[in-house]
Amino acid sequence: MKIFTVMFSAVHSLMALLFALAALMLIVISARVGWDAFNAGMDNATALAVIEAMGLLAAGVVALQIAETIIEEEVIRDSDISAPTRVRRFLSRFFVVVVVALALEGLVATFKALHEDPTQLPYAASILIAVAFMLAAWGVFVHLNRSAEELEPEAMEDAKQEDQKLK
């Protein structure tokens, strides 16, 4: 059984590496888009290019955060995600990144639609509405999960001790 645990850690490490590489690629592409926009002049097209570069950076942050979460939760801690505290912390970490990235993407889509094709505004609005629902669902999840944590206060202490190990 131990060999399977090692294999799963190796696969998780590979996945984290691929997410990190994707993040670096997105960061480089974003820098290139921003630099090209800067050299093109100061007009509406430049503003849209800079906003698009921000969207690429947001996607890069998501990929990097996913890589970090995989490494910390699945490789370093080798934790079993079953305790309410661990689940809440894992999902909260992931949701913060996804919600921020989707909110930025919704703003990018809104600006592009306003300046290029106003018929695309309903699609941009639907992204922002979905972000609002995700944020509300996350809040409900955290609220409901908190009562489960009160039943297991030692789980929070265990999680805090694991955090100290990572520092």
Side-chain angles (χ1 to χ4, degrees), residues 61-74 76-77 79 85-101 138 141-142 163 166:
V61 167
V62 169
L64 202 55
Q65 284 293 322
I66 291 172
E68 182 181 10
T69 300
I70 289 171
I71 287 294
E72 287 182 6
E73 297 293 335
E74 299 296 337
I76 295 173
R77 286 188 179 130
S79 60
T85 301
R86 178 67 54 216
V87 172
R88 182 189 54 79
R89 288 168 54 111
F90 181 80
L91 286 177
S92 291
R93 221 175 137 176
F94 181 73
F95 256 69
V96 165
V97 176
V98 171
V99 166
V100 168
W138 176 37
F141 172 78
V142 168
D163 287 344
L166 291 175

Side-chain angles (χ1 to χ4, degrees), residues 77 79 83 85-86 89 152-165:
R77 286 188 179 130
S79 60
T85 301
R86 178 67 54 216
R89 288 168 54 111
E152 296 180 345
E154 66 278 354
M156 181 59 91
E157 284 304 314
D158 291 344
K160 287 179 181 178
Q161 287 175 358
E162 286 179 1
D163 287 344
Q164 291 300 323
K165 291 178 191 174

Side-chain angles (χ1 to χ4, degrees), residues 38-142:
F38 180 75
N39 288 329
M42 301 296 172
D43 56 7
N44 283 345
T46 301
L48 287 175
V50 169
I51 291 169
E52 186 173 329
M54 288 173 45
L56 290 169
L57 272 177
V61 167
V62 169
L64 202 55
Q65 284 293 322
I66 291 172
E68 182 181 10
T69 300
I70 289 171
I71 287 294
E72 287 182 6
E73 297 293 335
E74 299 296 337
V75 178
I76 295 173
R77 286 188 179 130
D78 194 25
S79 60
D80 178 29
I81 300 187
S82 59
T85 301
R86 178 67 54 216
V87 172
R88 182 189 54 79
R89 288 168 54 111
F90 181 80
L91 286 177
S92 291
R93 221 175 137 176
F94 181 73
F95 256 69
V96 165
V97 176
V98 171
V99 166
V100 168
L102 284 176
L104 280 173
E105 195 60 38
L107 291 174
V108 169
T110 301
F111 287 125
K112 284 182 93 170
L114 283 172
H115 293 284
E116 293 176 0
D117 186 7
T119 61
Q120 298 296 313
L121 275 173
Y123 301 110
S126 67
I127 293 172
L128 295 172
I129 290 169
V131 167
F133 278 120
M134 286 176 66
L135 195 58
W138 176 37
V140 169
F141 172 78
V142 168

